[in-house]
Amino acid sequence: QAVVTQEPSLTVSPGGTVTLTCGSSTGAVTSGHYPYWFQQKPGQVPRTLIFDTSNKYSWTPTRISGSLLGGKAALTLSGAQPEDEAVYYCLLYYNADRVFGGGTTLTVL
Amino acid sequence: QLQLQESGPGLVKPSETLSLPCSVSGGFINTNRFFWVWIRQPPGKGLEWIGSVHYSGTIHYSPSLRNRITISGDMSKNQFSLKLSSVTAADMAIYYCALNYDDGSGRFYWGQGTLVTVSS
């Protein structure tokens, strides 16, 4: 089974910009992995932010965007807010498998 | 708006089979528009994809759990279920059911999750 890797933790200053990445043990992440990004705050159900690499939902803050960067899926927060403090998970689709990354704990400090 | 609700025993004994139904309201599960999905999260840890089943018959089970899981649907009750056999302490987690649309919309509806403890 593929292993999906994320930074364990990142810190960003309020108003700053941070990029979280999502890599695959099988090689470069492509649009064919249909990357999803989820946000989970303590005690809450995960919330979907991005699907198919860069597509947003109506509730996705405009400061959050998804892309492919250097062979990885990436989630960029521009102008971080205190409410962005959470754990972020990526999800990649493989032919007959779906695999979550280990999650990135984002601190806004 | 679809809503999902997991139910089932909060406590299971080691070696027993865990059975978790997920009731769906606001829509019908007998459609090719989405996958029925189960995800779990051990306390304090990350998310793990357990498996997903499409109404058309496509099945995606996690390789690490494939030998112990079955995901199936009960159209008469508009619910789908997870069965996990031979549970151990490592299976203790919050179990989430979800619906993952397969129509390009990216819609991903989650249940509230139910905590399952494994203990004798």
Side-chain angles (χ1 to χ4, degrees), chain A residues 48-81:
Chain A
T48 321
L49 293 177
I50 297 287
F51 70 98
D52 292 355
T53 304
S54 59
N55 291 292
K56 299 183 183 185
Y57 301 91
S58 59
W59 56 83
T60 306
T62 54
R63 62 182 178 277
I64 293 177
S65 62
S67 65
L68 294 176
L69 192 65
K72 296 182 179 182
L75 184 74
T76 300
L77 284 75
S78 304
Q81 301 296 310

PDB file of all heavy atoms in Angstrom, chain A residues 48-81:
ATOM      1  N   THR A  48     -14.270  18.886   4.603  1.00  0.00           N
ATOM      2  CA  THR A  48     -13.594  18.848   3.310  1.00  0.00           C
ATOM      3  C   THR A  48     -13.379  20.270   2.810  1.00  0.00           C
ATOM      4  O   THR A  48     -14.309  21.076   2.793  1.00  0.00           O
ATOM      5  CB  THR A  48     -14.432  18.060   2.294  1.00  0.00           C
ATOM      6  OG1 THR A  48     -15.028  16.927   2.940  1.00  0.00           O
ATOM      7  CG2 THR A  48     -13.569  17.552   1.162  1.00  0.00           C
ATOM      8  N   LEU A  49     -12.144  20.577   2.394  1.00  0.00           N
ATOM      9  CA  LEU A  49     -11.812  21.924   1.917  1.00  0.00           C
ATOM     10  C   LEU A  49     -11.574  21.978   0.408  1.00  0.00           C
ATOM     11  O   LEU A  49     -11.942  22.950  -0.249  1.00  0.00           O
ATOM     12  CB  LEU A  49     -10.540  22.411   2.611  1.00  0.00           C
ATOM     13  CG  LEU A  49     -10.593  22.680   4.105  1.00  0.00           C
ATOM     14  CD1 LEU A  49      -9.206  23.082   4.599  1.00  0.00           C
ATOM     15  CD2 LEU A  49     -11.614  23.760   4.435  1.00  0.00           C
ATOM     16  N   ILE A  50     -10.891  20.963  -0.101  1.00  0.00           N
ATOM     17  CA  ILE A  50     -10.453  20.955  -1.499  1.00  0.00           C
ATOM     18  C   ILE A  50     -10.683  19.560  -2.073  1.00  0.00           C
ATOM     19  O   ILE A  50     -10.440  18.557  -1.383  1.00  0.00           O
ATOM     20  CB  ILE A  50      -8.952  21.284  -1.621  1.00  0.00           C
ATOM     21  CG1 ILE A  50      -8.653  22.695  -1.110  1.00  0.00           C
ATOM     22  CG2 ILE A  50      -8.448  21.100  -3.062  1.00  0.00           C
ATOM     23  CD1 ILE A  50      -9.112  23.818  -2.020  1.00  0.00           C
ATOM     24  N   PHE A  51     -11.131  19.485  -3.311  1.00  0.00           N
ATOM     25  CA  PHE A  51     -11.214  18.214  -4.007  1.00  0.00           C
ATOM     26  C   PHE A  51     -10.589  18.325  -5.382  1.00  0.00           C
ATOM     27  O   PHE A  51     -10.485  19.421  -5.947  1.00  0.00           O
ATOM     28  CB  PHE A  51     -12.661  17.700  -4.077  1.00  0.00           C
ATOM     29  CG  PHE A  51     -13.569  18.499  -4.994  1.00  0.00           C
ATOM     30  CD1 PHE A  51     -13.824  18.069  -6.288  1.00  0.00           C
ATOM     31  CD2 PHE A  51     -14.183  19.654  -4.542  1.00  0.00           C
ATOM     32  CE1 PHE A  51     -14.676  18.779  -7.118  1.00  0.00           C
ATOM     33  CE2 PHE A  51     -15.024  20.390  -5.359  1.00  0.00           C
ATOM     34  CZ  PHE A  51     -15.271  19.949  -6.657  1.00  0.00           C
ATOM     35  N   ASP A  52     -10.158  17.187  -5.908  1.00  0.00           N
ATOM     36  CA  ASP A  52      -9.544  17.133  -7.235  1.00  0.00           C
ATOM     37  C   ASP A  52      -8.473  18.207  -7.402  1.00  0.00           C
ATOM     38  O   ASP A  52      -8.511  19.015  -8.336  1.00  0.00           O
ATOM     39  CB  ASP A  52     -10.609  17.277  -8.334  1.00  0.00           C
ATOM     40  CG  ASP A  52     -11.536  16.076  -8.393  1.00  0.00           C
ATOM     41  OD1 ASP A  52     -11.291  15.109  -7.644  1.00  0.00           O
ATOM     42  OD2 ASP A  52     -12.502  16.102  -9.175  1.00  0.00           O
ATOM     43  N   THR A  53      -7.536  18.215  -6.479  1.00  0.00           N
ATOM     44  CA  THR A  53      -6.354  19.080  -6.488  1.00  0.00           C
ATOM     45  C   THR A  53      -6.634  20.513  -6.059  1.00  0.00           C
ATOM     46  O   THR A  53      -5.973  21.035  -5.153  1.00  0.00           O
ATOM     47  CB  THR A  53      -5.679  19.125  -7.884  1.00  0.00           C
ATOM     48  OG1 THR A  53      -5.355  17.798  -8.301  1.00  0.00           O
ATOM     49  CG2 THR A  53      -4.409  19.966  -7.833  1.00  0.00           C
ATOM     50  N   SER A  54      -7.584  21.174  -6.704  1.00  0.00           N
ATOM     51  CA  SER A  54      -7.697  22.623  -6.496  1.00  0.00           C
ATOM     52  C   SER A  54      -9.131  23.139  -6.446  1.00  0.00           C
ATOM     53  O   SER A  54      -9.333  24.348  -6.346  1.00  0.00           O
ATOM     54  CB  SER A  54      -6.953  23.347  -7.619  1.00  0.00           C
ATOM     55  OG  SER A  54      -7.491  22.990  -8.884  1.00  0.00           O
ATOM     56  N   ASN A  55     -10.083  22.245  -6.518  1.00  0.00           N
ATOM     57  CA  ASN A  55     -11.480  22.689  -6.518  1.00  0.00           C
ATOM     58  C   ASN A  55     -11.982  22.955  -5.115  1.00  0.00           C
ATOM     59  O   ASN A  55     -11.728  22.169  -4.193  1.00  0.00           O
ATOM     60  CB  ASN A  55     -12.361  21.635  -7.193  1.00  0.00           C
ATOM     61  CG  ASN A  55     -12.087  21.537  -8.677  1.00  0.00           C
ATOM     62  OD1 ASN A  55     -12.378  22.453  -9.423  1.00  0.00           O
ATOM     63  ND2 ASN A  55     -11.499  20.438  -9.101  1.00  0.00           N
ATOM     64  N   LYS A  56     -12.680  24.056  -4.977  1.00  0.00           N
ATOM     65  CA  LYS A  56     -13.167  24.465  -3.662  1.00  0.00           C
ATOM     66  C   LYS A  56     -14.664  24.208  -3.536  1.00  0.00           C
ATOM     67  O   LYS A  56     -15.381  24.068  -4.520  1.00  0.00           O
ATOM     68  CB  LYS A  56     -12.907  25.961  -3.454  1.00  0.00           C
ATOM     69  CG  LYS A  56     -11.449  26.358  -3.505  1.00  0.00           C
ATOM     70  CD  LYS A  56     -11.287  27.849  -3.221  1.00  0.00           C
ATOM     71  CE  LYS A  56      -9.846  28.271  -3.344  1.00  0.00           C
ATOM     72  NZ  LYS A  56      -9.651  29.697  -2.966  1.00  0.00           N
ATOM     73  N   TYR A  57     -15.111  24.211  -2.288  1.00  0.00           N
ATOM     74  CA  TYR A  57     -16.526  24.152  -1.987  1.00  0.00           C
ATOM     75  C   TYR A  57     -16.997  25.566  -1.644  1.00  0.00           C
ATOM     76  O   TYR A  57     -16.195  26.471  -1.455  1.00  0.00           O
ATOM     77  CB  TYR A  57     -16.779  23.214  -0.806  1.00  0.00           C
ATOM     78  CG  TYR A  57     -16.296  21.800  -1.037  1.00  0.00           C
ATOM     79  CD1 TYR A  57     -14.998  21.427  -0.672  1.00  0.00           C
ATOM     80  CD2 TYR A  57     -17.113  20.838  -1.615  1.00  0.00           C
ATOM     81  CE1 TYR A  57     -14.534  20.134  -0.879  1.00  0.00           C
ATOM     82  CE2 TYR A  57     -16.665  19.539  -1.824  1.00  0.00           C
ATOM     83  CZ  TYR A  57     -15.377  19.200  -1.459  1.00  0.00           C
ATOM     84  OH  TYR A  57     -14.933  17.923  -1.678  1.00  0.00           O
ATOM     85  N   SER A  58     -18.289  25.712  -1.516  1.00  0.00           N
ATOM     86  CA  SER A  58     -18.827  27.033  -1.213  1.00  0.00           C
ATOM     87  C   SER A  58     -18.341  27.545   0.142  1.00  0.00           C
ATOM     88  O   SER A  58     -18.263  28.746   0.364  1.00  0.00           O
ATOM     89  CB  SER A  58     -20.357  27.005  -1.251  1.00  0.00           C
ATOM     90  OG  SER A  58     -20.865  26.070  -0.327  1.00  0.00           O
ATOM     91  N   TRP A  59     -18.020  26.618   1.028  1.00  0.00           N
ATOM     92  CA  TRP A  59     -17.597  26.998   2.380  1.00  0.00           C
ATOM     93  C   TRP A  59     -16.085  27.119   2.519  1.00  0.00           C
ATOM     94  O   TRP A  59     -15.590  27.451   3.594  1.00  0.00           O
ATOM     95  CB  TRP A  59     -18.116  25.975   3.395  1.00  0.00           C
ATOM     96  CG  TRP A  59     -17.684  24.571   3.074  1.00  0.00           C
ATOM     97  CD1 TRP A  59     -16.480  23.970   3.386  1.00  0.00           C
ATOM     98  CD2 TRP A  59     -18.442  23.590   2.354  1.00  0.00           C
ATOM     99  NE1 TRP A  59     -16.469  22.685   2.910  1.00  0.00           N
ATOM    100  CE2 TRP A  59     -17.651  22.422   2.276  1.00  0.00           C
ATOM    101  CE3 TRP A  59     -19.719  23.594   1.794  1.00  0.00           C
ATOM    102  CZ2 TRP A  59     -18.100  21.265   1.633  1.00  0.00           C
ATOM    103  CZ3 TRP A  59     -20.154  22.441   1.158  1.00  0.00           C
ATOM    104  CH2 TRP A  59     -19.354  21.300   1.085  1.00  0.00           C
ATOM    105  N   THR A  60     -15.342  26.833   1.459  1.00  0.00           N
ATOM    106  CA  THR A  60     -13.886  26.924   1.548  1.00  0.00           C
ATOM    107  C   THR A  60     -13.466  28.386   1.551  1.00  0.00           C
ATOM    108  O   THR A  60     -13.784  29.128   0.624  1.00  0.00           O
ATOM    109  CB  THR A  60     -13.215  26.216   0.366  1.00  0.00           C
ATOM    110  OG1 THR A  60     -13.679  24.882   0.271  1.00  0.00           O
ATOM    111  CG2 THR A  60     -11.695  26.223   0.538  1.00  0.00           C
ATOM    112  N   PRO A  61     -12.749  28.823   2.590  1.00  0.00           N
ATOM    113  CA  PRO A  61     -12.304  30.224   2.612  1.00  0.00           C
ATOM    114  C   PRO A  61     -11.478  30.569   1.371  1.00  0.00           C
ATOM    115  O   PRO A  61     -10.690  29.749   0.895  1.00  0.00           O
ATOM    116  CB  PRO A  61     -11.448  30.299   3.881  1.00  0.00           C
ATOM    117  CG  PRO A  61     -11.949  29.189   4.747  1.00  0.00           C
ATOM    118  CD  PRO A  61     -12.336  28.093   3.799  1.00  0.00           C
ATOM    119  N   THR A  62     -11.636  31.782   0.877  1.00  0.00           N
ATOM    120  CA  THR A  62     -10.921  32.186  -0.335  1.00  0.00           C
ATOM    121  C   THR A  62      -9.411  32.213  -0.106  1.00  0.00           C
ATOM    122  O   THR A  62      -8.641  32.130  -1.064  1.00  0.00           O
ATOM    123  CB  THR A  62     -11.399  33.565  -0.810  1.00  0.00           C
ATOM    124  OG1 THR A  62     -11.273  34.497   0.279  1.00  0.00           O
ATOM    125  CG2 THR A  62     -12.856  33.510  -1.240  1.00  0.00           C
ATOM    126  N   ARG A  63      -8.982  32.315   1.141  1.00  0.00           N
ATOM    127  CA  ARG A  63      -7.546  32.364   1.433  1.00  0.00           C
ATOM    128  C   ARG A  63      -6.893  30.974   1.328  1.00  0.00           C
ATOM    129  O   ARG A  63      -5.678  30.850   1.446  1.00  0.00           O
ATOM    130  CB  ARG A  63      -7.300  32.935   2.830  1.00  0.00           C
ATOM    131  CG  ARG A  63      -7.883  32.117   3.961  1.00  0.00           C
ATOM    132  CD  ARG A  63      -7.617  32.790   5.305  1.00  0.00           C
ATOM    133  NE  ARG A  63      -8.201  32.047   6.424  1.00  0.00           N
ATOM    134  CZ  ARG A  63      -9.465  32.150   6.797  1.00  0.00           C
ATOM    135  NH1 ARG A  63     -10.271  32.968   6.147  1.00  0.00           N
ATOM    136  NH2 ARG A  63      -9.924  31.442   7.813  1.00  0.00           N
ATOM    137  N   ILE A  64      -7.693  29.948   1.135  1.00  0.00           N
ATOM    138  CA  ILE A  64      -7.181  28.583   1.041  1.00  0.00           C
ATOM    139  C   ILE A  64      -7.244  28.119  -0.418  1.00  0.00           C
ATOM    140  O   ILE A  64      -8.272  28.284  -1.088  1.00  0.00           O
ATOM    141  CB  ILE A  64      -7.980  27.627   1.941  1.00  0.00           C
ATOM    142  CG1 ILE A  64      -7.732  27.970   3.404  1.00  0.00           C
ATOM    143  CG2 ILE A  64      -7.615  26.175   1.654  1.00  0.00           C
ATOM    144  CD1 ILE A  64      -8.526  27.123   4.387  1.00  0.00           C
ATOM    145  N   SER A  65      -6.145  27.549  -0.886  1.00  0.00           N
ATOM    146  CA  SER A  65      -6.118  27.062  -2.265  1.00  0.00           C
ATOM    147  C   SER A  65      -5.309  25.784  -2.355  1.00  0.00           C
ATOM    148  O   SER A  65      -4.430  25.529  -1.520  1.00  0.00           O
ATOM    149  CB  SER A  65      -5.530  28.118  -3.208  1.00  0.00           C
ATOM    150  OG  SER A  65      -4.195  28.408  -2.855  1.00  0.00           O
ATOM    151  N   GLY A  66      -5.616  24.980  -3.361  1.00  0.00           N
ATOM    152  CA  GLY A  66      -4.908  23.727  -3.587  1.00  0.00           C
ATOM    153  C   GLY A  66      -4.205  23.740  -4.925  1.00  0.00           C
ATOM    154  O   GLY A  66      -4.642  24.408  -5.862  1.00  0.00           O
ATOM    155  N   SER A  67      -3.112  22.982  -5.011  1.00  0.00           N
ATOM    156  CA  SER A  67      -2.345  22.940  -6.247  1.00  0.00           C
ATOM    157  C   SER A  67      -1.444  21.709  -6.247  1.00  0.00           C
ATOM    158  O   SER A  67      -1.437  20.934  -5.288  1.00  0.00           O
ATOM    159  CB  SER A  67      -1.482  24.204  -6.388  1.00  0.00           C
ATOM    160  OG  SER A  67      -0.503  24.242  -5.342  1.00  0.00           O
ATOM    161  N   LEU A  68      -0.713  21.549  -7.347  1.00  0.00           N
ATOM    162  CA  LEU A  68       0.380  20.579  -7.412  1.00  0.00           C
ATOM    163  C   LEU A  68       1.675  21.376  -7.429  1.00  0.00           C
ATOM    164  O   LEU A  68       1.798  22.347  -8.187  1.00  0.00           O
ATOM    165  CB  LEU A  68       0.272  19.720  -8.671  1.00  0.00           C
ATOM    166  CG  LEU A  68      -0.939  18.791  -8.747  1.00  0.00           C
ATOM    167  CD1 LEU A  68      -0.975  18.068 -10.084  1.00  0.00           C
ATOM    168  CD2 LEU A  68      -0.917  17.781  -7.602  1.00  0.00           C
ATOM    169  N   LEU A  69       2.631  20.936  -6.611  1.00  0.00           N
ATOM    170  CA  LEU A  69       3.853  21.711  -6.441  1.00  0.00           C
ATOM    171  C   LEU A  69       5.025  20.755  -6.244  1.00  0.00           C
ATOM    172  O   LEU A  69       5.052  20.009  -5.256  1.00  0.00           O
ATOM    173  CB  LEU A  69       3.703  22.628  -5.230  1.00  0.00           C
ATOM    174  CG  LEU A  69       4.726  23.727  -4.999  1.00  0.00           C
ATOM    175  CD1 LEU A  69       4.660  24.748  -6.126  1.00  0.00           C
ATOM    176  CD2 LEU A  69       4.464  24.405  -3.655  1.00  0.00           C
ATOM    177  N   GLY A  70       5.942  20.758  -7.177  1.00  0.00           N
ATOM    178  CA  GLY A  70       7.143  19.945  -7.009  1.00  0.00           C
ATOM    179  C   GLY A  70       6.863  18.458  -6.839  1.00  0.00           C
ATOM    180  O   GLY A  70       7.511  17.792  -6.030  1.00  0.00           O
ATOM    181  N   GLY A  71       5.884  17.944  -7.534  1.00  0.00           N
ATOM    182  CA  GLY A  71       5.575  16.520  -7.451  1.00  0.00           C
ATOM    183  C   GLY A  71       4.720  16.141  -6.261  1.00  0.00           C
ATOM    184  O   GLY A  71       4.557  14.956  -5.951  1.00  0.00           O
ATOM    185  N   LYS A  72       4.188  17.140  -5.595  1.00  0.00           N
ATOM    186  CA  LYS A  72       3.316  16.883  -4.446  1.00  0.00           C
ATOM    187  C   LYS A  72       2.026  17.687  -4.601  1.00  0.00           C
ATOM    188  O   LYS A  72       1.975  18.667  -5.337  1.00  0.00           O
ATOM    189  CB  LYS A  72       4.010  17.301  -3.149  1.00  0.00           C
ATOM    190  CG  LYS A  72       5.271  16.511  -2.823  1.00  0.00           C
ATOM    191  CD  LYS A  72       5.855  16.970  -1.493  1.00  0.00           C
ATOM    192  CE  LYS A  72       7.108  16.177  -1.151  1.00  0.00           C
ATOM    193  NZ  LYS A  72       7.668  16.578   0.166  1.00  0.00           N
ATOM    194  N   ALA A  73       1.012  17.263  -3.878  1.00  0.00           N
ATOM    195  CA  ALA A  73      -0.170  18.102  -3.730  1.00  0.00           C
ATOM    196  C   ALA A  73       0.152  19.130  -2.651  1.00  0.00           C
ATOM    197  O   ALA A  73       0.907  18.846  -1.717  1.00  0.00           O
ATOM    198  CB  ALA A  73      -1.376  17.274  -3.328  1.00  0.00           C
ATOM    199  N   ALA A  74      -0.406  20.303  -2.799  1.00  0.00           N
ATOM    200  CA  ALA A  74      -0.109  21.378  -1.861  1.00  0.00           C
ATOM    201  C   ALA A  74      -1.386  22.113  -1.482  1.00  0.00           C
ATOM    202  O   ALA A  74      -2.303  22.268  -2.291  1.00  0.00           O
ATOM    203  CB  ALA A  74       0.896  22.358  -2.476  1.00  0.00           C
ATOM    204  N   LEU A  75      -1.408  22.538  -0.237  1.00  0.00           N
ATOM    205  CA  LEU A  75      -2.490  23.364   0.282  1.00  0.00           C
ATOM    206  C   LEU A  75      -1.853  24.641   0.807  1.00  0.00           C
ATOM    207  O   LEU A  75      -0.984  24.585   1.677  1.00  0.00           O
ATOM    208  CB  LEU A  75      -3.236  22.654   1.411  1.00  0.00           C
ATOM    209  CG  LEU A  75      -4.448  23.387   1.982  1.00  0.00           C
ATOM    210  CD1 LEU A  75      -5.602  23.318   0.987  1.00  0.00           C
ATOM    211  CD2 LEU A  75      -4.851  22.806   3.323  1.00  0.00           C
ATOM    212  N   THR A  76      -2.260  25.780   0.272  1.00  0.00           N
ATOM    213  CA  THR A  76      -1.688  27.061   0.670  1.00  0.00           C
ATOM    214  C   THR A  76      -2.734  27.907   1.380  1.00  0.00           C
ATOM    215  O   THR A  76      -3.854  28.049   0.894  1.00  0.00           O
ATOM    216  CB  THR A  76      -1.145  27.814  -0.554  1.00  0.00           C
ATOM    217  OG1 THR A  76      -0.115  27.019  -1.177  1.00  0.00           O
ATOM    218  CG2 THR A  76      -0.562  29.156  -0.145  1.00  0.00           C
ATOM    219  N   LEU A  77      -2.337  28.421   2.529  1.00  0.00           N
ATOM    220  CA  LEU A  77      -3.174  29.359   3.258  1.00  0.00           C
ATOM    221  C   LEU A  77      -2.493  30.721   3.176  1.00  0.00           C
ATOM    222  O   LEU A  77      -1.363  30.890   3.656  1.00  0.00           O
ATOM    223  CB  LEU A  77      -3.329  28.948   4.717  1.00  0.00           C
ATOM    224  CG  LEU A  77      -4.272  27.801   5.053  1.00  0.00           C
ATOM    225  CD1 LEU A  77      -3.659  26.462   4.680  1.00  0.00           C
ATOM    226  CD2 LEU A  77      -4.634  27.826   6.528  1.00  0.00           C
ATOM    227  N   SER A  78      -3.166  31.678   2.593  1.00  0.00           N
ATOM    228  CA  SER A  78      -2.618  33.020   2.434  1.00  0.00           C
ATOM    229  C   SER A  78      -3.374  33.977   3.343  1.00  0.00           C
ATOM    230  O   SER A  78      -4.573  34.154   3.181  1.00  0.00           O
ATOM    231  CB  SER A  78      -2.757  33.468   0.973  1.00  0.00           C
ATOM    232  OG  SER A  78      -2.140  32.539   0.104  1.00  0.00           O
ATOM    233  N   GLY A  79      -2.656  34.582   4.277  1.00  0.00           N
ATOM    234  CA  GLY A  79      -3.335  35.431   5.245  1.00  0.00           C
ATOM    235  C   GLY A  79      -3.975  34.591   6.337  1.00  0.00           C
ATOM    236  O   GLY A  79      -5.178  34.653   6.576  1.00  0.00           O
ATOM    237  N   ALA A  80      -3.152  33.776   6.995  1.00  0.00           N
ATOM    238  CA  ALA A  80      -3.658  32.838   7.985  1.00  0.00           C
ATOM    239  C   ALA A  80      -4.406  33.547   9.109  1.00  0.00           C
ATOM    240  O   ALA A  80      -4.000  34.629   9.569  1.00  0.00           O
ATOM    241  CB  ALA A  80      -2.507  32.009   8.553  1.00  0.00           C
ATOM    242  N   GLN A  81      -5.463  32.923   9.550  1.00  0.00           N
ATOM    243  CA  GLN A  81      -6.285  33.428  10.639  1.00  0.00           C
ATOM    244  C   GLN A  81      -6.206  32.471  11.828  1.00  0.00           C
ATOM    245  O   GLN A  81      -5.930  31.280  11.653  1.00  0.00           O
ATOM    246  CB  GLN A  81      -7.734  33.568  10.185  1.00  0.00           C
ATOM    247  CG  GLN A  81      -7.936  34.499   8.998  1.00  0.00           C
ATOM    248  CD  GLN A  81      -7.558  35.923   9.350  1.00  0.00           C
ATOM    249  OE1 GLN A  81      -8.002  36.459  10.369  1.00  0.00           O
ATOM    250  NE2 GLN A  81      -6.739  36.541   8.499  1.00  0.00           N
TER     251      GLN A  81
END
